[in-house]
Amino acid sequence: MAAKNGGSLALFLVLCFLLTSPPLARGDTPFPINVWPKPTSMSWAEPHMAVRVSSSFCVIAPSANTHLLAAAHRYSALLRSERYRPLVPPAANLTAAAAGGKAAELRRLTLAVSDLHAPLQHGVDESYSLEIPPTGGEATLTAATAWGAMRGLETFSQLTWWGHAAGYRRAALQLVVAAGVRVYDRPLYPHRGLMLDTGRTYIPVDDILRTIDAMAANKMNVFHWHITDSQSFPLELPSEPALADKGSYGEGMRYTVEDVKLIVDFAMSRGVRVVPEIDSPGHTASWAAAYPEIVSCAGKFWLPDASDWPNRLAAEPGAGQLNPLEPKTYEVLSNVINDVTSLFPDGFYHGGADEITPGCWKSDPSIQAYLANGGTLSQLLEKFVGAAHPLIVSKNRTAVYWEDLLLDQAVNVTPSTIPRETTILQTWNNGANNTKLIVQAGYRAIVSSASFYYLDCGHGDFVGNNSVYDDQRSDYDTSGGSWCGPYKTWQRVYDYDIAGGLTEEEARLVIGGELAMWTEQVDAAVLDGRVWPRASAMAEALWSGNRDAAGRKRYAEATDRLTDWRHRMVGRGVRAEPIQPLWCRSRPGMCNLVR
Amino acid sequence: MAASPYLLLLLLVLHWPAAAPGTASSPPPSEPPHSPPPQKVQVWPKPTSISWQSSVYAPLSPSFSIRAVPSHPTLRDAIAFYTHLIRTERHAPLVPPGNYTVSRVPIRLLALSVSDPEVPLGPGVDESYTLSVLPDSGSADISAATSWGAIRGLETFSQLAWAGGGPDSGGQSIVPSGIEISDRPHFTHRGILLDTARNFYPVRDILHTIRAMAFNKLNVFHWHITDAQSFPIVLPTVPNLANFGSYSPSMRYTENDVRRIVRFAASFGIRVIPEIDMPGHTGSWAGAYPDIVTCANKFWAPRAKPALAAEPGTGQLNPLNPKTYRVAQDVMRDLVALFPDPYIHGGADEVNTACWEDDPVVRRFLAEGGTHDHLLEVFINATRPFVTQELNRTVVYWEDVLLGPKVMVGPTILPKETTILQTWNNGPENTKRVVAAGYRAIVSSASYYYLDCGHGGWVGNDSRYDKQEKEREGTPLFNDPGGTGGSWCAPFKTWQRVYDYDILHGLNDDEAQLVLGGEVALWSEQSDETVLDGRLWPRAAAAAETLWSGNKGSTGKKRYANATERLNDWRHRMVGRGIRAEPIQPLWCPLHPGMCDLSQ
């Protein structure tokens, strides 16, 4: 490996910046070093020291990987522009002078990467180590891959802050960095994701980019893009342009091929994979605008009889399911899979397959005939997946599906339809129980249990003309209309043990987790506050765990750190919600439930 | 049957370009075959009475202007604001009306006539107005008894305008020609409470919120300025309260800030009622005056003992220390100098017995036969008359002062003429108790009007979230559906919940007379300016309509179903005006009217 890349290591690009900084000085209150997610292992020599970042500080990066180069540029710019001032002023002593009387400062950060060409894919090595010498000079960041180096760059950026030059005549702020620091870091789980639904609500490209940028800052590495749903089909596909033409919310609310390229490339230069999901055969009403003949029950009112939930046509407004008996279905689906896999380079393709609603298929005359002849809904689904799965696999992709495909009581497929080698199941119901069922069946699992990881929960219901709210008694049903209430606080997210209750062998099949942002009640206006900092909570739990060295859950200790990190994210332009009154941060422990 | 809604979808998609903000719009195709019933006039809150028979719109002239006769300083800022807004806004409705024509006569002038422009802004002021756009006259008129009514009319006029004229209107917005509106509010007190003490809000975000209130014809900004966590207002006589009690020098409201906020609010006909909560919720006073605050800076929930506060942040003014009243009177005198409104809010909620008992002098008082109620009475008697008599203000207190449950005083020391009670517990029951006792009431029932509810808990080190298993049936729920998730007033109050609340529920006519109105409340433990808009809007808009023109249609049926589509559009317009209101439904829903309902 080293030999293969030896040549490229020789070529470095030097990214410097000029800072007009006032003279250095010292600060003195205790400063807990805060890197989020907390690294696996980090030491900071006592007494805690910090050095000024030189006004001509440079990041020296190998130039053979353009994504890494872009990352080095970006962090160089971030250091220059970020004006992060910790809520509680830092306690590190500034190293005033190096030997020889010259002010100590950090002059460069040098990156060493052993395999510059390791592609960004599931399971790629993201480990890194970082060393910042006590007297400044040159810091080194070593990583096996460019993606690990990006994680290290993020860590480095979080070790810097603007410190006040108190005690010096010309008191002023300057960029300083913790010195005498060694970090060795690697993630617990290789799959740390956020799912964003752009089918219920269109999310503009800029907001997606900002979200991915924030993910990278939290060392998350999978953007699961739930692109389409019953409500809209916003993705322009070259072979099937009619789907977006007719199924999107409108011009200006579609993702073009260029948009997708931009998003995928933007994500890659942050070490974030983009896993596309085209949900099918359910959640496809939007396909009917272009192809009414392939969608069952499209255009019908979703709940013909409010007192008869089992015979609903969809889980929520927007009814329509692809008809597995219609040959045209597979023609369209094949084009979709072809196009999507050529737009998205990632090795995973998410096929959806959640919430098959029996009432929808049962209302279709052609399906009624099939059922009358002894066919079952499960056979129907198997017919669909039996055709879709090989298409996905033929593109050299691993298929991800929602758990329903295997675990739904009413409509499911036999495991032989979805071979374990090419299938991953994403769980969302019944917490740890369903994770267990999946891994016991031998499948790899991605955990998105709604009772921990669904960010939309607890916000009431969006369905209109609902008399349940018109109840003048003050005390009423506390679910407030949200099927998965209550709201998942950051502590709830943080505390989830996604491999809880599994044997060691079973646990190995859990590749990670994803928070899910379904967007019935979310658009760009409120996106940041819904996602952050709760996604940060998962990011740490999946990166370095939710326990301290003694094995105790560390949610209490994480509170102040998360407040600090949220503060830093807001400064970086992410409108994350506050988790406590500011009062709490400067009074450690005083806002706890138990002292 | 199955295909028709999709035909509709197709048509709407074709319409879409007209809906992109900022683009010049083209007239919709004539006679779309399956056009939805047009929402002919979209004004939120819905006016009491609208009459518009024609389907003719008049374009606004590029030189459109607003003139008041006679002109009056109270209207100057509103006229400037609305002139600019009406000229520049190009609202594209989510579902544009169909089948209309655009008249050739542009409207150049909106004339305001106010019969008594000297009437000051204050409780119960007449906010009625009439608005008419005379066909082909080139002008529109608003008549109102007061400037404040005229300002409501200006807002209505701004919402009548939308970008639908295409080339016929020269790219200008159009308004319904021949429309007549007559409008007045059901309740005179329609407010938002914002807590700027748990977390700080910059002045610009407060101004932004007040502007959004004006869009919704809300008229009271109840400013819960201080609390146990911080004291952000700089008071000239007692500056140390902010110096030592605010979060930081940059997180303080200066005299200039306050005057600017009050003036800005008044220019939109919005009153600002300041609240300095006391004697509870005063931990932040201890930074400057440790001697007047009991139990300050203690852990709020000591093990095996009663809690010292309702939430982290302990401290209560000591009623037995004479210095308490010197400081409190300075505070109130300064406050009255800054806030011209006839009301002042004195707080008095959640008085905690254990906190007072933490003080030795209080303990002696209790040992000698004194009671907690007596302590509160001492406090009220030493502060209330000063405010009502010397400072000439009506005092608003939280219901707790009369209703407890733990510490309360009798009605004799709360004269009804100068006391208003704001209710927050037990829904209509407590409103009934307040008015049955003869007090005027402001309704903020938590189970309808608390906008912070249902967001889980924020207190740290809470092991209850660390439950990996599904909660067993029969046990108290916490994390599973039906559980509170840590929020004492869960669940989240959806806009429908807010909209449906009848604040007069269960009252007879006489009692109902005493209900001044309502306020939605945003307590800020888990919000600051990053998420403010989405927490307030459009839910505060739901309350705004209910309090302005009610939540029932002309048949007396609750109109929440009809309001859904209108609120989708109004939220869309607010976003266009820079308010980051949250969406209430997927866009699919307003584009498919009725399809997102629970029952058809």
Coordinates of all heavy atoms in Angstrom, one line a residue, chain A residues 501-568:
Chain A
G501 N -28.7 -5.5 23.7 CA -29.4 -6.8 23.6 C -28.9 -7.8 22.6 O -29.6 -8.8 22.4
L502 N -27.9 -7.5 21.9 CA -27.4 -8.4 20.9 C -26.1 -9.1 21.4 O -25.4 -8.6 22.2 CB -27.0 -7.6 19.6 CG -28.0 -6.7 19.0 CD1 -27.5 -6.1 17.7 CD2 -29.3 -7.5 18.7
T503 N -26.0 -10.3 20.9 CA -24.7 -11.0 21.2 C -23.6 -10.3 20.4 O -23.9 -9.6 19.5 CB -24.8 -12.5 20.7 OG1 -24.8 -12.5 19.3 CG2 -26.0 -13.2 21.3
E504 N -22.4 -10.7 20.7 CA -21.3 -10.0 20.0 C -21.3 -10.3 18.5 O -21.0 -9.4 17.7 CB -19.9 -10.6 20.6 CG -19.1 -9.5 21.2 CD -17.9 -10.1 21.9 OE1 -16.9 -10.5 21.2 OE2 -17.9 -10.3 23.1
E505 N -21.7 -11.5 18.2 CA -21.7 -11.9 16.8 C -22.8 -11.1 16.1 O -22.6 -10.6 15.0 CB -22.0 -13.4 16.7 CG -21.3 -14.0 15.5 CD -21.4 -15.5 15.6 OE1 -21.1 -16.1 16.7 OE2 -21.8 -16.1 14.6
E506 N -24.0 -11.0 16.7 CA -25.1 -10.3 16.2 C -24.7 -8.8 16.0 O -25.0 -8.2 15.0 CB -26.3 -10.4 17.0 CG -27.0 -11.8 17.0 CD -28.0 -11.9 18.1 OE1 -28.1 -11.1 19.1 OE2 -28.8 -12.9 18.1
A507 N -24.0 -8.3 17.0 CA -23.7 -6.9 17.0 C -22.8 -6.5 15.9 O -22.8 -5.4 15.3 CB -23.0 -6.5 18.4
R508 N -22.0 -7.5 15.4 CA -21.1 -7.2 14.3 C -21.9 -6.9 13.0 O -21.4 -6.3 12.1 CB -20.2 -8.4 14.0 CG -18.9 -8.2 14.8 CD -17.8 -9.1 14.2 NE -18.0 -10.5 14.5 CZ -17.7 -11.1 15.6 NH1 -17.1 -10.4 16.6 NH2 -18.0 -12.4 15.9
L509 N -23.1 -7.3 13.0 CA -24.0 -7.1 11.8 C -24.6 -5.7 11.8 O -25.2 -5.3 10.8 CB -25.0 -8.2 11.6 CG -24.5 -9.6 11.2 CD1 -25.6 -10.6 11.3 CD2 -23.9 -9.5 9.8
V510 N -24.5 -5.0 12.9 CA -25.1 -3.7 13.0 C -24.0 -2.7 12.4 O -23.0 -2.5 13.1 CB -25.5 -3.3 14.4 CG1 -25.9 -1.8 14.5 CG2 -26.6 -4.2 14.9
I511 N -24.2 -2.2 11.2 CA -23.2 -1.4 10.6 C -23.3 0.1 11.1 O -22.3 0.9 10.9 CB -23.2 -1.4 9.1 CG1 -24.5 -0.8 8.5 CG2 -23.0 -2.9 8.6 CD1 -24.4 -0.7 7.0
G512 N -24.4 0.5 11.7 CA -24.4 1.8 12.3 C -25.9 2.3 12.3 O -26.8 1.5 12.4
G513 N -26.1 3.6 12.4 CA -27.4 4.2 12.5 C -27.6 5.4 11.7 O -26.6 6.0 11.2
E514 N -28.8 5.8 11.6 CA -29.2 7.0 10.9 C -30.4 7.7 11.6 O -31.3 7.0 11.9 CB -29.7 6.7 9.5 CG -28.6 6.2 8.5 CD -29.2 5.9 7.1 OE1 -30.4 6.2 6.9 OE2 -28.5 5.3 6.3
L515 N -30.2 9.0 11.8 CA -31.4 9.7 12.2 C -32.2 10.0 11.0 O -31.7 10.1 9.9 CB -30.9 11.1 12.8 CG -30.2 11.0 14.2 CD1 -29.6 12.3 14.5 CD2 -31.3 10.6 15.2
A516 N -33.5 10.1 11.2 CA -34.4 10.3 10.1 C -35.2 11.6 10.2 O -35.8 11.8 11.3 CB -35.4 9.1 10.0
M517 N -35.1 12.4 9.2 CA -35.8 13.7 9.2 C -36.9 13.6 8.1 O -36.6 13.9 6.9 CB -34.9 14.8 8.9 CG -35.5 16.2 8.9 SD -35.9 16.8 10.6 CE -37.5 16.3 10.9
W518 N -38.1 13.1 8.5 CA -39.2 13.1 7.6 C -39.8 14.5 7.6 O -39.8 15.2 8.6 CB -40.3 12.1 8.1 CG -39.7 10.7 8.1 CD1 -39.3 10.1 9.3 CD2 -39.4 9.8 7.0 NE1 -38.8 8.8 8.9 CE2 -38.8 8.7 7.6 CE3 -39.5 9.9 5.7 CZ2 -38.4 7.6 6.8 CZ3 -39.1 8.9 4.9 CH2 -38.6 7.7 5.4
T519 N -40.3 15.0 6.4 CA -40.5 16.4 6.3 C -42.0 16.8 6.1 O -42.2 17.8 5.4 CB -39.7 16.9 5.2 OG1 -39.9 16.2 4.0 CG2 -38.2 16.9 5.5
E520 N -42.9 16.1 6.7 CA -44.3 16.6 6.6 C -44.4 17.9 7.2 O -45.3 18.7 6.7 CB -45.2 15.6 7.3 CG -45.5 14.3 6.6 CD -44.5 13.2 6.9 OE1 -43.5 13.5 7.5 OE2 -44.8 12.0 6.5
Q521 N -43.7 18.2 8.2 CA -43.8 19.5 8.9 C -42.5 20.3 8.9 O -42.2 21.0 9.9 CB -44.4 19.3 10.3 CG -45.7 18.6 10.3 CD -46.3 18.4 11.7 OE1 -46.8 19.2 12.3 NE2 -46.1 17.2 12.2
V522 N -41.7 20.1 8.0 CA -40.3 20.7 8.0 C -40.0 21.2 6.5 O -40.3 20.5 5.6 CB -39.3 19.7 8.4 CG1 -37.9 20.2 8.2 CG2 -39.5 19.2 9.8
D523 N -39.5 22.4 6.4 CA -38.9 22.7 5.2 C -37.6 23.6 5.5 O -37.2 23.6 6.7 CB -39.8 23.4 4.2 CG -40.3 24.8 4.6 OD1 -39.8 25.3 5.6 OD2 -41.2 25.3 4.0
A524 N -37.1 24.2 4.5 CA -35.9 25.0 4.8 C -36.0 26.0 5.9 O -35.0 26.3 6.5 CB -35.4 25.6 3.5
A525 N -37.2 26.5 6.1 CA -37.4 27.5 7.1 C -36.9 27.0 8.5 O -36.5 27.8 9.3 CB -38.8 28.0 7.2
V526 N -37.1 25.8 8.8 CA -36.9 25.3 10.2 C -36.0 24.0 10.2 O -35.8 23.4 11.3 CB -38.2 24.9 10.9 CG1 -39.1 26.2 11.1 CG2 -39.0 23.9 10.0
L527 N -35.4 23.7 9.1 CA -34.6 22.5 9.0 C -33.5 22.4 10.0 O -33.4 21.4 10.7 CB -34.0 22.3 7.6 CG -33.1 21.2 7.3 CD1 -33.9 19.9 7.4 CD2 -32.4 21.3 5.9
D528 N -32.7 23.4 10.1 CA -31.5 23.3 11.0 C -31.9 23.0 12.4 O -31.3 22.1 13.1 CB -30.8 24.7 11.0 CG -30.0 24.9 9.7 OD1 -30.1 24.1 8.8 OD2 -29.2 25.8 9.7
G529 N -32.9 23.7 13.0 CA -33.3 23.5 14.4 C -33.9 22.1 14.6 O -33.8 21.6 15.8
R530 N -34.5 21.5 13.6 CA -35.0 20.2 13.8 C -33.9 19.1 13.8 O -34.0 18.1 14.5 CB -36.0 19.8 12.7 CG -37.2 20.5 12.7 CD -38.3 19.9 13.6 NE -39.6 20.1 13.1 CZ -40.2 21.3 13.1 NH1 -39.6 22.4 13.6 NH2 -41.4 21.5 12.6
V531 N -32.9 19.4 13.0 CA -31.8 18.4 12.9 C -30.7 18.6 14.0 O -30.2 17.6 14.6 CB -31.2 18.4 11.5 CG1 -30.0 17.5 11.4 CG2 -32.3 18.0 10.4
W532 N -30.3 19.8 14.2 CA -29.2 20.1 15.1 C -29.7 20.7 16.4 O -30.5 21.5 16.3 CB -28.2 21.0 14.4 CG -27.8 20.5 13.0 CD1 -28.2 20.9 11.8 CD2 -27.0 19.3 12.7 NE1 -27.7 20.2 10.8 CE2 -26.9 19.2 11.3 CE3 -26.3 18.4 13.5 CZ2 -26.2 18.2 10.7 CZ3 -25.6 17.4 12.9 CH2 -25.5 17.3 11.5
P533 N -29.1 20.4 17.5 CA -27.9 19.5 17.7 C -28.3 18.1 17.9 O -27.4 17.3 18.4 CB -27.2 20.1 18.9 CG -28.3 20.6 19.8 CD -29.4 21.0 18.8
R534 N -29.5 17.7 17.7 CA -29.9 16.3 18.0 C -29.1 15.3 17.2 O -28.7 14.2 17.7 CB -31.4 16.1 17.9 CG -32.1 16.8 18.9 CD -33.6 16.5 18.9 NE -34.2 17.0 17.7 CZ -35.4 16.5 17.2 NH1 -36.1 15.6 17.9 NH2 -35.9 17.0 16.1
A535 N -28.8 15.6 15.9 CA -28.0 14.7 15.1 C -26.5 14.7 15.7 O -25.9 13.6 15.5 CB -28.0 15.2 13.6
S536 N -26.1 15.7 16.3 CA -24.8 15.7 16.9 C -24.7 14.6 18.0 O -23.7 14.0 18.3 CB -24.4 17.1 17.5 OG -24.5 18.1 16.6
A537 N -25.9 14.5 18.7 CA -25.9 13.5 19.8 C -25.7 12.1 19.3 O -24.9 11.3 19.8 CB -27.3 13.6 20.5
M538 N -26.4 11.8 18.2 CA -26.1 10.5 17.6 C -24.7 10.4 17.0 O -24.1 9.3 17.1 CB -27.1 10.2 16.4 CG -27.0 8.8 15.9 SD -27.6 8.5 14.2 CE -26.3 9.3 13.3
A539 N -24.2 11.5 16.5 CA -22.9 11.4 15.9 C -21.8 11.0 16.9 O -20.9 10.2 16.6 CB -22.5 12.8 15.3
E540 N -22.0 11.5 18.1 CA -21.0 11.1 19.1 C -21.2 9.7 19.6 O -20.3 8.9 19.7 CB -21.0 12.1 20.3 CG -20.1 11.6 21.4 CD -19.7 12.7 22.4 OE1 -19.1 13.7 21.9 OE2 -19.9 12.6 23.6
A541 N -22.5 9.4 19.8 CA -22.8 8.0 20.3 C -22.3 6.9 19.3 O -21.8 5.9 19.7 CB -24.3 7.8 20.5
L542 N -22.3 7.2 18.0 CA -21.8 6.3 17.0 C -20.4 6.4 16.7 O -19.8 5.5 16.2 CB -22.6 6.4 15.7 CG -24.1 6.1 15.8 CD1 -24.8 6.1 14.4 CD2 -24.5 4.8 16.5
W543 N -19.8 7.5 17.0 CA -18.3 7.7 16.8 C -17.5 7.1 17.9 O -16.7 6.3 17.7 CB -18.0 9.2 16.6 CG -16.5 9.4 16.3 CD1 -15.6 9.6 17.3 CD2 -15.8 9.3 15.1 NE1 -14.3 9.7 16.7 CE2 -14.5 9.5 15.3 CE3 -16.3 9.2 13.7 CZ2 -13.5 9.6 14.3 CZ3 -15.3 9.3 12.7 CH2 -13.9 9.4 13.0
S544 N -17.8 7.6 19.1 CA -17.0 7.2 20.3 C -17.8 6.6 21.4 O -17.3 6.4 22.5 CB -16.1 8.3 20.7 OG -16.8 9.5 21.1
G545 N -19.1 6.5 21.2 CA -19.9 5.9 22.2 C -20.6 6.9 23.1 O -20.3 8.1 23.1
N546 N -21.5 6.4 23.9 CA -22.2 7.2 24.9 C -21.8 6.9 26.3 O -22.5 7.2 27.3 CB -23.7 7.1 24.7 CG -24.2 5.7 24.7 OD1 -23.5 4.8 25.2 ND2 -25.4 5.4 24.2
R547 N -20.6 6.3 26.5 CA -20.2 5.9 27.8 C -18.8 6.5 28.1 O -18.0 6.7 27.2 CB -20.1 4.4 27.9 CG -21.5 3.7 28.0 CD -21.4 2.2 27.8 NE -22.7 1.7 27.4 CZ -23.7 1.5 28.3 NH1 -23.4 1.6 29.6 NH2 -24.9 1.0 27.9
D548 N -18.5 6.7 29.4 CA -17.2 7.1 29.7 C -16.3 5.9 29.9 O -16.7 4.8 29.7 CB -17.3 8.0 31.0 CG -17.8 7.2 32.2 OD1 -17.8 6.0 32.2 OD2 -18.3 7.9 33.1
A549 N -15.0 6.2 30.3 CA -14.0 5.2 30.4 C -14.5 4.1 31.4 O -14.1 2.9 31.3 CB -12.7 5.8 30.8
A550 N -15.3 4.5 32.4 CA -15.7 3.5 33.4 C -16.9 2.7 32.9 O -17.4 1.8 33.6 CB -16.1 4.2 34.7
G551 N -17.4 3.0 31.7 CA -18.5 2.2 31.2 C -19.8 2.8 31.5 O -20.9 2.3 31.2
R552 N -19.8 4.0 32.2 CA -21.1 4.6 32.6 C -21.6 5.5 31.5 O -20.8 6.2 30.9 CB -20.9 5.5 33.9 CG -21.3 4.8 35.2 CD -21.0 5.7 36.3 NE -21.5 7.1 36.1 CZ -22.5 7.6 36.8 NH1 -22.9 7.0 37.9 NH2 -22.9 8.8 36.6
K553 N -22.9 5.6 31.3 CA -23.4 6.5 30.3 C -23.0 8.0 30.7 O -23.0 8.4 31.8 CB -25.0 6.5 30.3 CG -25.5 5.2 29.7 CD -25.8 5.5 28.2 CE -26.1 4.2 27.4 NZ -27.5 3.9 27.4
R554 N -22.5 8.7 29.6 CA -21.9 10.0 29.9 C -22.8 11.2 29.5 O -22.4 12.2 29.2 CB -20.6 10.1 29.3 CG -20.6 10.0 27.8 CD -19.1 10.1 27.2 NE -19.1 10.0 25.7 CZ -18.1 9.7 25.0 NH1 -16.9 9.5 25.6 NH2 -18.1 9.6 23.7
Y555 N -24.2 11.0 29.5 CA -25.1 12.0 29.1 C -24.9 13.3 29.9 O -25.1 14.4 29.4 CB -26.5 11.6 29.0 CG -27.0 10.8 30.2 CD1 -27.6 11.4 31.3 CD2 -27.0 9.4 30.2 CE1 -28.0 10.7 32.3 CE2 -27.5 8.7 31.3 CZ -28.0 9.3 32.3 OH -28.5 8.6 33.4
A556 N -24.7 13.1 31.2 CA -24.6 14.3 32.1 C -23.4 15.1 31.7 O -23.5 16.3 31.5 CB -24.4 13.9 33.6
E557 N -22.3 14.5 31.5 CA -21.0 15.2 31.1 C -21.1 15.8 29.7 O -20.6 16.8 29.4 CB -19.9 14.2 31.2 CG -18.5 14.7 30.7 CD -18.2 14.3 29.3 OE1 -18.9 13.5 28.7 OE2 -17.3 15.0 28.8
A558 N -21.9 15.1 28.9 CA -22.0 15.6 27.5 C -22.8 16.9 27.4 O -22.7 17.6 26.4 CB -22.7 14.5 26.6
T559 N -23.7 17.2 28.4 CA -24.6 18.3 28.3 C -23.8 19.6 28.0 O -24.1 20.3 27.0 CB -25.4 18.4 29.6 OG1 -26.0 17.2 29.8 CG2 -26.5 19.5 29.4
D560 N -22.9 19.9 28.8 CA -22.2 21.2 28.7 C -21.3 21.2 27.4 O -21.2 22.2 26.7 CB -21.2 21.5 29.8 CG -22.0 21.9 31.1 OD1 -23.2 22.3 30.9 OD2 -21.4 21.9 32.2
R561 N -20.8 20.0 27.1 CA -20.0 19.9 25.8 C -20.9 20.2 24.6 O -20.5 20.8 23.6 CB -19.3 18.6 25.7 CG -18.2 18.4 26.7 CD -17.3 17.2 26.4 NE -18.0 15.9 26.5 CZ -18.3 15.2 25.4 NH1 -18.0 15.6 24.2 NH2 -18.9 14.0 25.6
L562 N -22.1 19.6 24.7 CA -23.0 19.8 23.5 C -23.5 21.3 23.4 O -23.6 21.8 22.3 CB -24.2 18.9 23.6 CG -25.1 18.9 22.4 CD1 -24.4 18.5 21.1 CD2 -26.3 17.9 22.6
T563 N -23.7 21.9 24.6 CA -24.0 23.4 24.5 C -22.9 24.1 23.8 O -23.1 25.0 23.0 CB -24.2 23.9 26.0 OG1 -25.4 23.3 26.5 CG2 -24.4 25.4 26.0
D564 N -21.7 23.8 24.2 CA -20.5 24.5 23.6 C -20.5 24.2 22.1 O -20.2 25.1 21.3 CB -19.2 24.0 24.2 CG -19.0 24.6 25.5 OD1 -19.7 25.5 25.9 OD2 -18.1 24.1 26.3
W565 N -20.7 23.0 21.7 CA -20.6 22.6 20.3 C -21.7 23.2 19.5 O -21.6 23.7 18.4 CB -20.6 21.0 20.2 CG -20.7 20.5 18.8 CD1 -21.5 19.6 18.3 CD2 -19.8 20.9 17.7 NE1 -21.3 19.3 17.0 CE2 -20.2 20.1 16.6 CE3 -18.8 21.8 17.5 CZ2 -19.6 20.2 15.3 CZ3 -18.2 21.9 16.3 CH2 -18.6 21.1 15.2
R566 N -22.9 23.2 20.1 CA -24.0 23.9 19.5 C -23.7 25.4 19.2 O -24.0 26.0 18.2 CB -25.3 23.7 20.3 CG -26.5 24.4 19.8 CD -26.8 25.7 20.4 NE -27.9 26.4 19.8 CZ -28.3 27.7 20.1 NH1 -27.7 28.3 21.1 NH2 -29.2 28.3 19.4
H567 N -23.1 26.0 20.2 CA -22.7 27.4 20.1 C -21.7 27.6 18.9 O -21.8 28.5 18.2 CB -22.1 27.8 21.4 CG -21.4 29.2 21.5 ND1 -22.1 30.3 21.2 CD2 -20.1 29.5 21.7 CE1 -21.3 31.4 21.3 NE2 -20.1 30.9 21.6
R568 N -20.8 26.6 18.8 CA -19.9 26.7 17.7 C -20.5 26.5 16.4 O -20.3 27.2 15.4 CB -18.7 25.7 17.9 CG -17.6 25.8 16.9 CD -16.3 25.1 17.4 NE -15.2 25.7 16.7 CZ -14.0 25.8 17.2 NH1 -13.7 25.4 18.4 NH2 -13.0 26.3 16.5

